[in-house]
Amino acid sequence: MLNSKIMNKKIWLSLAHMSGVEQKFIQEAFDTNWVVPLGPNVNAFEKSLEDYLEENKKVVALISGTSAIHLALIQLGVGFGDEVICQSFTFVATANPIIYVNASPVFVDSEKETWNMSPDFLEIAIKDRISKTGKKPKAIIPVHLYGMPANMDAILKIANKYSIPVIEDAAEALGSKYKNKKCGTFGEFACLSFNGNKIITTSGGGALVCSTTEETIKTMFYATQARDDAPHYQHSEIGYNYRMSNICAGIGRGQMTVLDYHVARRREIHSKYSDKLSKLSGISLLENPSLDYQSNHWLTCVQIDSVKVGFTQEDLRLAMDKADIETRPLWKPMHLQPVFADSPFYGDGTSEALFEKGLCLPSSPVLSENDIDRVVNVIYSLSKTV
Ligand SMILES: *Cc1c(COP(=O)(O)O)cnc(C)c1O
């Protein structure tokens, strides 16, 4: 009885996993009374992210990945009347900050290889916006969705051609590499997220990766209410309360000790799914398109060809749910979201098709071999009953 209960415990999509040393850093914060935003844990967490990312990048820890994108847009001078090009196939947190600064998003479709921003449609969009509005978009936001690096060479080439800065959304891609360089180091700015289900967590949090010390200073300034250099409280600009707390950064420091393990485990889980599902035609995984791409495989995603397998992605989601296994549809593209119904979109239906046929499988580092088999068995049993 007890055994069968353990065997059939719920399998979650993506769970946090602690190293055990997180509590030591939190305890230190309490012992030294650093229970505030800023502090030694924040400094050490930022330093360890800088060492990890390399490329001489500077990191500012913030309350979320969303706030990181917001502060990047502010520093690029994006405001009322401006347009920002954004990958359509993403989580809404990529696009919302464009609205926070009173600018307008222009959505660009995905390419089939990476599921990320299509360089072809990016250039078509830039040209068309210039001809329609008489000015260039102010920024480009590609995303490394599900940890898969975007086609950065092609995207940066176009960005450079038109001199438009890139904000890289690397929220899901800490540990991923493109051409042997870490995701989060390609843009003028990049955002990271440490939300509960990301590669590492600080319970909630994020960071802005900056290219210069000047940007770092500006980011900290805006993240702490834009206080001028004066003994009293004086403000010449609008600021925000976005700085990460010393307690959350303590969790982050502990998580840095298991980051490599998390990436290795998620890749291993992906490759196990890949092996076990290879015999089933009609189910395909998001795989690295070439050796240039090294996804962290944050979530293993499948595409379901219902004509070949005889069931749809929704049939599979419901069957998993019955078996007490959490799966999730892929992100619904932004150009299909009611809140962005009036925004321009450039594409050919690629992300919409991905959304309609895709599903994310459980991918936590804590997944056991038995858990993976349970997931795979649901897929096989469904393919036999139809
Ligand atoms: C999680 C996520 C974000 C935002 O991160 P938060 O820390 O939740 O604000 C941004 N973009 C993508 C693609 C994400 O998955």
Side-chain angles (χ1 to χ4, degrees), residues 147-215:
M148 180 60 69
N151 184 349
M152 289 315 294
D153 272 359
I155 290 169
L156 288 172
K157 195 169 160 202
I158 294 161
N160 290 337
K161 178 170 163 191
Y162 294 90
S163 297
I164 304 173
V166 167
I167 302 170
E168 214 187 326
D169 184 340
E172 302 177 359
L174 188 59
S176 298
K177 283 183 179 175
Y178 173 75
K179 296 203 166 168
N180 245 353
K181 200 165 121 122
K182 296 243 171 65
C183 287
T185 64
F186 289 91
E188 182 63 37
F189 292 100
C191 103
L192 303 175
S193 171
F194 316 117
N195 210 338
N197 58 2
K198 299 286 161 78
I199 281 283
I200 59 167
T201 183
T202 57
S203 71
L208 187 62
V209 184
C210 303
S211 298
T212 66
T213 307
E214 201 190 334
E215 289 169 357

Side-chain angles (χ1 to χ4, degrees), residues 63-67 69 90-94 143-145 169-172 191-195 197-198 204-206 298 331:
I63 55 165
S64 63
T66 313
S67 60
I69 297 175
T90 188
F91 175 48
V92 73
T94 315
V143 186
H144 309 296
L145 210 63
D169 184 340
E172 302 177 359
C191 103
L192 303 175
S193 171
F194 316 117
N195 210 338
N197 58 2
K198 299 286 161 78
W298 171 56
W331 301 121

Side-chain angles (χ1 to χ4, degrees), residues 6 13 29 52-53 68-69 77 93 97 103 128 158 160 162 169 183 191 217 223 239 271 296-297 301 345 360 364:
I6 291 168
L13 184 75
Y52 181 80
L53 290 173
I69 297 175
D128 194 57
I158 294 161
N160 290 337
Y162 294 90
D169 184 340
C183 287
C191 103
I217 293 166
S271 95
N296 64 11
H297 290 301
C301 305
F345 168 70
C360 304
S364 306

